[in-house]
Amino acid sequence: MKPQQTPATFSASRAHTLAAALARRVSGEVRFDDGSRALYATDASNYRQTPIGVVIPRTVDDIVATVAACREYDAPVLPRGGGTSLAGQCCNVAVVIDTSKYLRDVVELDPAGRRARVQPGCVLDHLRDAAERYHLTFGPDPATHDHNTLGGMLGNNSCGVHSVMAGRTSDNVHSLDVLCYDGTRMTVGATSEQELESIIAAGGRRGAIYAGLRDLRDRYADLIRKRFPHIPRRVSGFGLDELLPENGFHVARALVGTEASCVTILEAELQLVPSPSSRVLLMLGFPDVYSAADAVPRVMETHPIGVEGLDRRLIDHMRRKHLHEDDAQLLPKGAGWLMVEMGADTYQEAVEHAKQAEAALTAGPHAPAARLLCSHEQQAKLWELREAGLGATAFVPGQADTWTGWEDSAVPPDRLGDYLRDFRKLLLRYQYEGAFYGHFGQGILHTRITFDLQSEPGVRKWREFLDEAADLVVRYGGSLSGEHGDGQQRARLLSKMYGDELVQAFREFKALWDPLGRMNPGKAIDSYPITSDLRLQVPEVPLVPRAQFAYRQDHGSFAHATLRCVGVGECRRTAGGLMCPSYMVTREEKHSTRGRARLLFEMMHEGALRKGWHSDAVHDALDLCFACKGCKHDCPVNVDMATYKAEFHAHYYKGRLRPRSAYAFGLIYWWARAASHMPQLVNAVSQSRWGGSALKAMADIAEPRRLPRFAVRPFTTAYTKEIPERGERPVLLWPDTFNNYLDPDTLHAAVEVLRAAGYAPIVPHRRLCCGRPLYAWGWVPRARRLLSQVLHEIDHWIAADIPLVGLEPACVSALRDELLELFPADERAQRLARNTWLLSEFLERANYEPPRFDERAVVHLHCHHRSVLNADAESAVLKRLGMQFDVLDSGCCGMAGEFGFEARHYEVSRQAGERVLFPAIRAASPDTLIIADGYSCREQIRQETPRQALHLSQVLRAAHRH
C-alpha cells in the first residue's frame, strides 16, 4: 500500500444501495441521511471528512452484518467510540459503526480473577463504578473518563492520570474478540510458542495471520528492541514490541492503539487492579513549570499513584475565563505546580505516606511550597481544575484561538524539564502561545497552541512547526504521541521516530489484518496528508440574515460561535451535572450539545447540509434541546446552545407558521394578561373534562398533563407599591409572568421576607415581561421589544442603582444574560444586569439572618440557577436557617418551560425527571420539604409526583412565622 493523497470517493448511488442492503440485514439503526453524516464528519481534532453513512448496531451480529455488507460494496469501515479522538482518526469517508448507544454493557465482572468483559461502547466510568464495589478499578483514566468508551480507549491506547499506577490501556488487556474486514472472527491474546505453532498448523485465515505475525516478529525483532523508545508513554506507531518473545507474543496488546485500522473490536477482556480506598493530594509549588518538571524523578521515588503538572499560563487562562477561580486558591505559592496523589487502604496510611513524601521533597535549598489536601471536597476541586485544562486553553479572551495539532508529546520523565524549556523556545521562535499541563509523572505534555489553521500561510507554518517539533521530541528519545494516537495528524511523521524500515513493518502488520486497506484508511499508517481535510479550511457559507444576538465572546460572529465545540464530548455524560439532559435520555449524538454544534457548523459552512437556515436536520436536532443553558455552564468551551437555538429558529421560522404549542406557550405573557380579567371562567373551561381536552388538542399539549390554574387575583393587582417611604431601603421586586399570574403566593411571601430583612419592596407600575418564553421559538425581535420596554419603564430605578430581585431563575437569567446579548452597547442594560439578583443571591449578599427553622428539605435547583446564576447562594441561605438539606444533582427536571407540556416531548420530559428528581422526591419522608425555585420545576413535581414543592420565599416566610 502507498500513502493516499485524499479520501476515496463513494458515489451517492452506491451509498443508497449499500444503505438499503444494511437496512435489510441490521436490526439496529442505519442512517445515511445528510444530517446523520454531518454529525459524524468530525471528531475532537482539526479534521473533517463526511462519512458514507452511519450504523448504530444493537447487537454484535449487527456489527458482523455491517462489515459483511460493506465488504460486498467495497466500502471502508470506521468503528467509533465516543468520538473524542484528537488526531483525526475518528472521521473518515467510511461507514461509521457507533457502538456507544446500545453495546455499552459490562458483560461480566470477575472480582477474584480481577477481570472484566466489556462491550466496545461501554463508558469507562461504568466499568470503574462496577469494579469499585470490589475495591478494583481499570487503571487508565483519561480526563474524558465519564463519557469516553473502552472501544475508543483500545483504539487509541489511552492512558490518563493513573497510568502511573497501572500503565497504558494495552498493559491492561487480557484478550480481544475481533472481526477482520474479510469476516474472520477470532479471540486473540497472549500466545505461547506451543500455542503459536498449533494455530499456524491449523491453517485457515487465522493460521495465515499468525504465521505472518511470527515472520514479522522474527525479521524485525532486533530493530524493534533498538528503535522503540523505552518510556512509559510510547503510544505512537503500532505495538509490535508486544509480539516479542519476552512479551508473550500478545496479539491483543499489539492491536491496541491501531486506531481501528486493522480490526473491529467486538468485546474485550480487561485486567483490573486494586483501587486505593483512600487518597490524598500533595500540591507542590515551584518558581516555574520547568523546575516542577525537573522534580518529577524525585517525586516518583515517593511512589505516588498520580503526578500531574500545571503551569501559570493555564491558571491565568482560567482566571480570564472565570473558570475555577475559587479552586485555584487551593494552589500553593508558585508559577508551576505538581499534583501528587497518594493512595492507600486506609486514610491514616494515605496521609502518613503523603506527609513522608512532603518532608522528603521539601527538605534542602530551593524547596517547593507544599500544601496537603486531605478532604475529598478540596481534592475534587483541584482534579476538576486539572480536567478543565482543554476547555481553559480554548478561546481565551485577549488571545488568538488555540487548537490541537501538537498536544500530546511524551519524553523520558527524567528529561521532561529540559524538553519543556526547548519546546518553549520552539514556540517562541514560531510566535506561538500555549499553556503547559499534563501527566508529568510519565513525561507527557498537553498543550493547545495558537496555530493559524484557516489561512494557507498559517497552515504551511504549522506544517513546518510539526517537523521541528517531531525532530525535537525524537532527540529526547520520546514519542510523538503519549496517549492520543497518531491519526492523520502524526502518522506521516512516524519515520522520524522509527525510521523507514519500521514504518514498513507497521505497514506489513496492517496488511496482515486488512489486506484490502478498508479499515479506517488513510489514518494510522499510509495516511492522508497532514494538511488536507482541515475543518477550519471549509469555506463559510454567506448566509445573509443578520445575527439576532451580539455574540460578544465570538467577535460578533455566529459562525465563530459554531466553532466553539472542540469535540471533547462532556455533553455525552449519562449522569451528573446539567449537560445534556436530552442526550442522557436518548443517548443520541444529535441530541448532545456536541452533535447540535456540529450540525450548526455544517450549516454555516460548505458541509453536508445545504439548506442553510432552513435545514430540517438542524431543526430536528434542536427540537429536543431543553434550552436549559446547562452547556453554557458545563461545557469546557461554554457552548451556549439555548442562544444558538433561538438564533436558528428566528431564521428558520421567518415567514413560516410555528407549531401550535409555540403560540400557546411562547405568547403566555399576553394570554396570561387576558386570562387575568376573567380567571374563574378560564379555569372553569380549562379544568373541565371537555374544555381541558379541547385546549390540549388545540395547543398540542400531552393528554396526561394537567393545565395550570390561573390565580384569581394576580400579585400585581393586589400589591401596587411603587414608591418607598422616606428612609426605607427600596428593592424592585420583579413580578414575572409565571409567579404573577399562576403562583402569586411566592411573590407575597417574598414581600414579607424582604420586609423582614429591612427592605421595602416596590413593583413597576406597568406590567412587564423579560421575554423568556419567546426565545425557544425564535421570536427574538419580539423579546427585544419587551426588554426595551423594561429598560424604558424602570430607567429611573436603574439610574438610582436600586436592586432588582426576581423569584423565577429563568427570568432573572434573561436579565443577566440575553439582555446583554441583545443590547450590548446600552449602558442601562449593563447596569441592570449587574444589579439583578435572584432572591437567594440578594439575601446572601445582604447578610440576611433569618430565624432558625429546624426542618429537612430536598432542594432541586433550576437549570438557569446553576448555569447562569449563583447556585451556592441558595445553600448559604438555607444553612443560615439551620436546615438539614440535600441539593440534588438532578440536572433538568424535564419540564423546561413549555417543553414538558408538548405532546411530542412528554415522554422525554418524564424520563428526564425519572433520572434523579422523581425517585428522590418519592423517597423523601412526608415531613421533608421539597424546595424548587423554578415555576416549571414546581409544576413538573406537582404533576409527576405526589408532592408539592415550595419556593425559597415560602420557606423563609414559614420560618419567620414559625
Side-chain angles (χ1 to χ4, degrees), residues 48 293 426 458 476 518 635 693 710 765 784 787 806 835 900 952:
R48 177 191 169 278
L426 181 63
Y476 273 91
R518 294 298 181 266
C635 172
S693 294
F710 285 96
H765 170 70
R784 187 183 289 108
L787 286 173
N835 212 11
L952 177 66

Side-chain angles (χ1 to χ4, degrees), residues 625-627 642 645-646 649-650 653 771-779 898:
C625 173
F626 287 49
K645 177 180 180 178
H649 280 168
Y653 283 117
R772 166 59 66 201
L774 298 168
Y775 295 107
W777 296 108
W779 271 310
E898 82 288 345

Side-chain angles (χ1 to χ4, degrees), residues 596-748:
R596 294 175 180 127
R598 291 295 164 76
L599 289 176
L600 287 167
F601 171 85
E602 294 286 325
M603 180 194 82
M604 293 298 295
H605 297 79
E606 290 184 357
L609 305 180
R610 301 292 183 181
K611 292 185 179 180
W613 293 113
H614 291 144
S615 169
D616 291 331
V618 176
H619 180 268
D620 182 49
L622 289 171
D623 183 56
L624 288 191
C625 173
F626 287 49
C628 66
K629 289 186 178 284
C631 48
K632 184 164 185 172
H633 181 270
D634 285 8
C635 172
V637 289
N638 308 117
V639 167
D640 184 2
M641 196 52 61
T643 296
Y644 305 168
K645 177 180 180 178
E647 182 74 55
F648 175 79
H649 280 168
H651 303 295
Y652 181 85
Y653 283 117
K654 189 173 183 180
R656 295 182 174 188
L657 286 175
R658 290 167 168 80
R660 297 192 304 273
S661 56
Y663 299 95
F665 292 100
L667 306 180
I668 185 64
Y669 167 58
W670 290 274
W671 293 122
R673 288 178 63 181
S676 69
H677 297 294
M678 45 184 174
Q680 292 171 318
L681 175 61
V682 171
N683 288 336
V685 173
S686 68
Q687 303 304 311
S688 69
R689 188 172 185 179
W690 63 267
S693 294
L695 288 173
K696 289 177 191 177
M698 290 171 58
D700 196 24
I701 294 172
E703 185 56 37
R705 289 296 186 193
R706 288 170 280 164
L707 297 176
R709 289 178 175 271
F710 285 96
V712 174
R713 194 178 187 197
F715 171 78
T716 48
T717 301
Y719 188 85
T720 57
K721 186 171 183 178
E722 301 172 46
I723 302 173
E725 303 294 334
R726 183 181 297 276
E728 288 184 324
R729 289 186 294 174
V731 59
L732 183 63
L733 180 60
W734 183 255
D736 64 272
T737 297
F738 305 102
N739 286 299
N740 185 37
Y741 294 107
L742 296 167
D743 195 8
D745 185 65
T746 59
L747 287 159
H748 288 294

Side-chain angles (χ1 to χ4, degrees), residues 57-229:
R58 291 181 182 273
T59 65
V60 169
D61 288 343
D62 279 350
I63 299 178
V64 175
T66 298
V67 173
C70 289
R71 183 170 63 253
E72 290 177 27
Y73 290 88
D74 196 30
V77 170
L78 168 55
R80 169 169 149 152
T84 59
S85 293
L86 289 160
Q89 59 267 56
C90 270
C91 56
N92 213 330
V93 181
V95 174
V96 172
I97 302 175
D98 181 357
T99 59
S100 65
K101 184 176 181 180
Y102 298 117
L103 297 175
R104 59 177 190 262
D105 291 339
V106 177
V107 178
E108 182 182 8
L109 200 147
D110 174 14
R114 294 182 180 175
R115 300 265 179 85
R117 287 195 299 119
V118 299
Q119 294 179 314
C122 179
V123 170
L124 171 59
D125 271 4
H126 294 176
L127 170 61
R128 294 169 75 203
D129 290 345
E132 283 291 349
R133 292 197 290 269
Y134 306 98
H135 306 294
L136 298 171
T137 190
F138 185 69
D141 56 345
T144 53
H145 53 82
D146 60 1
H147 59 280
N148 69 5
T149 67
L150 285 154
M153 291 181 66
L154 291 162
N156 285 352
N157 199 6
S158 300
C159 303
V161 175
H162 294 104
S163 294
V164 166
M165 176 178 71
R168 303 164 299 173
T169 295
S170 58
D171 301 319
N172 295 272
V173 170
H174 180 72
S175 66
L176 298 175
D177 181 7
V178 300
L179 175 71
C180 297
Y181 187 79
D182 64 9
T184 303
R185 181 174 176 180
M186 66 182 87
T187 298
V188 296
T191 319
S192 69
E193 287 299 313
Q194 183 178 356
E195 289 172 317
L196 179 57
E197 293 301 327
S198 176
I199 292 170
I200 294 172
R205 177 76 171 109
R206 185 185 184 212
I209 290 174
Y210 272 72
L213 293 174
R214 182 184 63 179
D215 176 64
L216 187 72
R217 175 200 68 182
D218 292 345
R219 285 187 290 116
Y220 290 102
D222 291 340
L223 192 58
I224 291 169
R225 294 185 182 102
K226 178 181 177 182
R227 292 298 299 263
F228 270 54

Side-chain angles (χ1 to χ4, degrees), residues 161-162 164 280-286 292 296 299-300 304-311 314-315 318 327 330-332 336-342 361 371 373 378-388 437-441:
V161 175
H162 294 104
V164 166
V280 296
L281 190 59
L282 174 62
M283 295 299 305
L284 300 175
F286 298 83
V296 165
V299 170
M300 292 300 293
I305 63 172
V307 179
E308 299 292 289
L310 313 168
D311 79 352
L314 179 66
I315 303 305
M318 289 185 176
D327 301 346
L330 295 172
L331 295 172
W337 296 271
L338 291 180
M339 304 174 65
V340 184
E341 187 177 45
M342 300 295 184
L361 296 169
R371 184 168 189 180
L373 303 177
Q378 288 184 327
Q379 292 180 65
K381 286 181 177 180
L382 281 184
W383 283 120
E384 288 173 8
L385 181 149
R386 161 60 186 89
E387 290 178 358
Y437 62 102
H439 311 300
F440 280 19

Side-chain angles (χ1 to χ4, degrees), residues 51-52 67 70 131 217 298 321 385 465 474 500 526 675 787 790 803 805 903 939:
I52 298 167
V67 173
C70 289
R217 175 200 68 182
R298 287 189 61 208
K321 297 183 71 173
L385 181 149
F465 170 84
V474 170
D500 292 339
D526 293 326
L787 286 173
V790 171
V805 175
E939 188 64 22

